[in-house]
Amino acid sequence: MKVTVSVTLEADDGTPAVVHEVFSLERGALAPDTVGLHLAEAKDLLSAVQEKMVNEQVRAALADQVACPACGMARRHKDKGAHDIVVRSLFGTLRLISPRWWHCACQPHETRTFSPLAELLPERSTPELVYLESKFAGLVSYGLSAKLLAEVLPLGRTLHATAVRRHVQSVAQRIEDEMGEEQTSFIEGCPSVWGELPRPDLPLVVGLDGGYVHSSEQRSRKDGWFEVIAGKSMPADGPAKCFGYVQTYDTKPKRRLFEVLSSQNMQMNQQITFVTDGGEDIRELPLYLNPNSEHLLDWFHVTMRITVMANMAKSLQPPPPGPDQSSSPMDLAASVGEELRRLKWFLWHGNVFRALQVIEDLVVDLDVEDPGPEQRKLLKAVTEFDTYIRANASSIPNYGERYRAGETISSSFVESAVNQVVSKRMVKNQQMRWSPRGAHLLLQVRTRVLNDDLAKDFHRWFPNFAHVVPNSETLAA
């Protein structure tokens, strides 16, 4: 059997249709390996159709621009002014002859000549190609993205990981440039206006936490990592949305979080619960975003610190008995362990005042003359925990009461968000090291992919961009 594929081009100017034979193949008897088109054959077919179609589009576009829009006179071609421009598409790398024309003398112009095709195609990669590069690079490494696209598409020339990274960063930078200015407060209106707003949705729960990625600017062992902030906003009904940024690079973190909440139809009369780990980098971030918000210190991070101190206390050795003592004093490890249990109990019930008293007692018990190394280490941990609790005292609720009421007390869902947004792409099984800018820009694309927003961005930039928005559950898997 012989198969021949032809393309019929019908111009809008009424000229006769032109038929081009673009592809032919011969196929033998039916077998599992002869059913339909092979991948290589499909690539050749798509590439041939693309070439004929684009050449006709270029011819028609140049014909439409020959006449000067001001006076109608035909523009003159500049001798030896034609050159090729290369446009990369999903179905082949196109070399298009771009003539150079003289500007008409009826109007003043900044230049004497211009290239109409270069003005019509200012970008040398089609939006769909850039979209797929960004989408896959947001999910897997730049190198794997380039290999995957080259495996299934007739790109026409080698696609390098550096080109994919450059396109991804340009997309991310365009998203960044569209973001509004940073503000101290995003609360708008007054209570009387908020009362007239429609009935809000159920409360939003927003969690914030940090992760670490390898640094490309490592000069010492301490400089081998830098922090990345990730978060997730979970409505009571509807899909969750995640976000991320590099806190040492980003200049608009509060605006970024506000835009995520706004995309979930947040209203000024809606309740929002912010759960953070209490770190200095994100402690102030949720402030002044919503007048009906509450800020909680994550119970997981509180109890994790206490557990670490309890494990350290088990290694404490009692001091030797004094000359006037016949036996050793009471077991210091047991005493400190009991105090830490009391500390945890007070914090669980939101009694910060009594918890701080217990911490002061622990400091007095541990701050003795000539302490052992384990005791000095535990004393440092207790002192740091005292600073941590005092800095977040206003964000410590009655965890027990909230737990019994079925309300949020922990940002465990954010731990999965950090793993999903940061670790899976940038840390686990990844040997790549990151600059703060590179990591930040990739995070913007990755979160847009996970939130199903990247295709919407391309639809906004290119009205004729045609792509079905994927299912977020499939991407997140």
Side-chain angles (χ1 to χ4, degrees):
M1 178 180 65
K2 183 177 181 180
V3 178
T4 302
V5 179
S6 301
V7 174
T8 302
L9 300 175
E10 298 181 3
D12 295 334
D13 56 7
T15 56
V18 180
V19 179
H20 297 277
E21 182 180 321
V22 296
F23 180 76
S24 64
L25 63 86
E26 294 185 2
R27 187 70 84 238
L30 180 64
D33 56 346
T34 62
V35 174
L37 290 172
H38 297 163
L39 179 59
E41 295 167 344
K43 287 183 178 182
D44 292 340
L45 173 59
L46 290 172
S47 181
V49 173
Q50 179 85 324
E51 182 180 0
K52 295 297 182 183
M53 177 179 175
V54 173
N55 286 337
E56 177 60 23
Q57 286 182 300
V58 170
R59 185 202 65 80
L62 293 177
D64 290 340
Q65 298 220 14
V66 168
C68 174
C71 66
M73 292 291 293
R75 296 186 174 104
R76 294 182 297 115
H77 288 244
K78 181 181 178 182
D79 295 337
K80 299 181 180 179
H83 62 282
D84 290 347
I85 63 172
V86 178
V87 177
R88 302 194 67 161
S89 71
L90 289 176
F91 309 118
T93 300
L94 307 169
R95 288 190 170 274
L96 308 177
I97 299 177
S98 177
R100 196 159 193 85
W101 295 348
W102 293 95
H103 276 298
C104 186
C106 66
Q107 297 287 335
H109 298 279
E110 294 182 359
T111 60
R112 299 178 63 188
T113 63
F114 73 105
S115 177
L117 190 58
E119 292 183 358
L120 291 172
L121 301 174
E123 299 180 8
R124 295 299 184 261
S125 295
T126 60
E128 273 198 316
L129 176 59
V130 176
Y131 168 77
L132 288 181
E133 290 177 351
S134 302
K135 173 184 172 181
F136 287 116
L139 299 174
V140 296
S141 68
Y142 295 123
L144 286 178
S145 301
K147 291 179 180 179
L148 174 62
L149 293 174
E151 183 74 21
V152 300
L153 295 173
L155 300 179
R157 56 192 280 184
T158 304
L159 179 61
H160 297 284
T162 53
V164 176
R165 184 178 70 241
R166 186 172 62 253
H167 289 161
V168 170
Q169 291 184 351
S170 66
V171 170
Q173 190 60 56
R174 187 167 184 175
I175 295 173
E176 289 287 279
D177 294 340
E178 290 181 343
M179 188 173 296
E181 296 298 325
E182 181 74 324
Q183 298 176 200
T184 304
S185 173
F186 288 89
I187 298 177
E188 299 176 349
C190 60
S192 61
V193 176
W194 303 333
E196 298 176 358
L197 292 174
R199 183 177 179 179
D201 294 333
L202 294 175
L204 281 167
V205 179
V206 183
L208 301 166
D209 204 350
Y212 289 86
V213 299
H214 289 284
S215 174
S216 62
E217 302 173 356
Q218 181 177 4
R219 296 181 180 84
S220 65
R221 186 174 181 180
K222 185 178 180 181
D223 297 334
W225 302 79
F226 61 86
E227 187 176 19
V228 172
I229 305 300
K232 179 180 284 189
S233 175
M234 299 183 62
D237 184 18
K241 287 199 172 185
C242 55
F243 60 96
Y245 62 92
V246 177
Q247 53 95 12
T248 57
Y249 177 84
D250 190 18
T251 59
K252 303 177 181 179
K254 192 180 290 286
R255 165 66 71 175
R256 193 175 310 282
L257 176 54
F258 178 76
E259 294 292 344
V260 173
L261 298 178
S262 297
S263 68
Q264 294 179 308
N265 302 317
M266 179 192 69
Q267 298 180 181
M268 288 294 109
N269 60 345
Q270 184 176 4
Q271 293 183 353
I272 300 181
T273 300
F274 291 101
V275 185
T276 71
D277 63 359
E280 294 182 4
D281 299 328
I282 57 178
R283 191 183 303 145
E284 306 295 327
L285 181 61
L287 300 180
Y288 309 114
L289 290 175
N290 187 288
N292 295 304
S293 63
E294 59 177 349
H295 308 267
L296 306 181
L297 179 62
D298 177 22
W299 171 249
F300 170 76
H301 286 84
V302 174
T303 187
M304 180 178 63
R305 289 171 179 252
I306 296 177
T307 301
V308 171
M309 290 188 292
N311 292 332
M312 295 168 60
K314 294 178 182 179
S315 62
L316 293 178
Q317 299 295 328
D324 299 332
Q325 295 176 324
S326 59
S327 60
S328 299
M330 77 171 179
D331 189 357
L332 181 61
S335 174
V336 172
E338 179 62 28
E339 290 296 302
L340 289 174
R341 284 190 288 272
R342 293 180 64 235
L343 171 62
K344 185 176 182 178
W345 191 90
F346 285 133
L347 289 174
W348 174 252
H349 291 88
N351 194 337
V352 180
F353 177 76
R354 291 298 304 276
L356 291 175
Q357 286 183 329
V358 173
I359 295 176
E360 291 176 358
D361 293 340
L362 282 171
V363 172
V364 172
D365 293 340
L366 296 171
D367 190 10
V368 297
E369 185 178 354
D370 193 22
E374 295 85 1
Q375 197 164 333
R376 287 196 300 268
K377 188 176 180 181
L378 179 58
L379 176 60
K380 179 181 178 182
V382 172
T383 304
E384 292 176 350
F385 188 70
D386 177 72
T387 304
Y388 178 73
I389 294 299
R390 291 182 186 276
N392 294 282
S394 60
S395 300
I396 298 178
N398 188 325
Y399 294 104
E401 184 178 291
R402 290 181 64 91
Y403 178 76
R404 291 187 292 273
E407 297 178 349
T408 301
I409 64 171
S410 175
S411 63
S412 57
F413 66 93
V414 187
E415 298 294 330
S416 64
V418 173
N419 181 55
Q420 180 188 35
V421 175
V422 182
S423 300
K424 282 186 177 181
R425 174 61 178 87
M426 306 172 74
V427 180
K428 294 181 178 179
N429 298 323
Q430 302 289 332
Q431 301 300 318
M432 186 172 179
R433 295 183 179 271
W434 301 88
S435 66
R437 178 180 182 273
H440 177 78
L441 294 179
L442 177 64
L443 283 172
Q444 307 320 306
V445 172
R446 179 169 174 80
T447 53
R448 304 294 285 186
V449 172
L450 297 176
N451 295 339
D452 289 347
D453 289 335
L454 187 63
K456 299 175 186 177
D457 294 327
F458 276 82
H459 278 291
R460 186 174 66 255
W461 299 335
F462 306 99
N464 295 320
F465 178 80
H467 195 87
V468 178
V469 177
N471 188 343
S472 60
E473 295 181 359
T474 302
L475 291 175

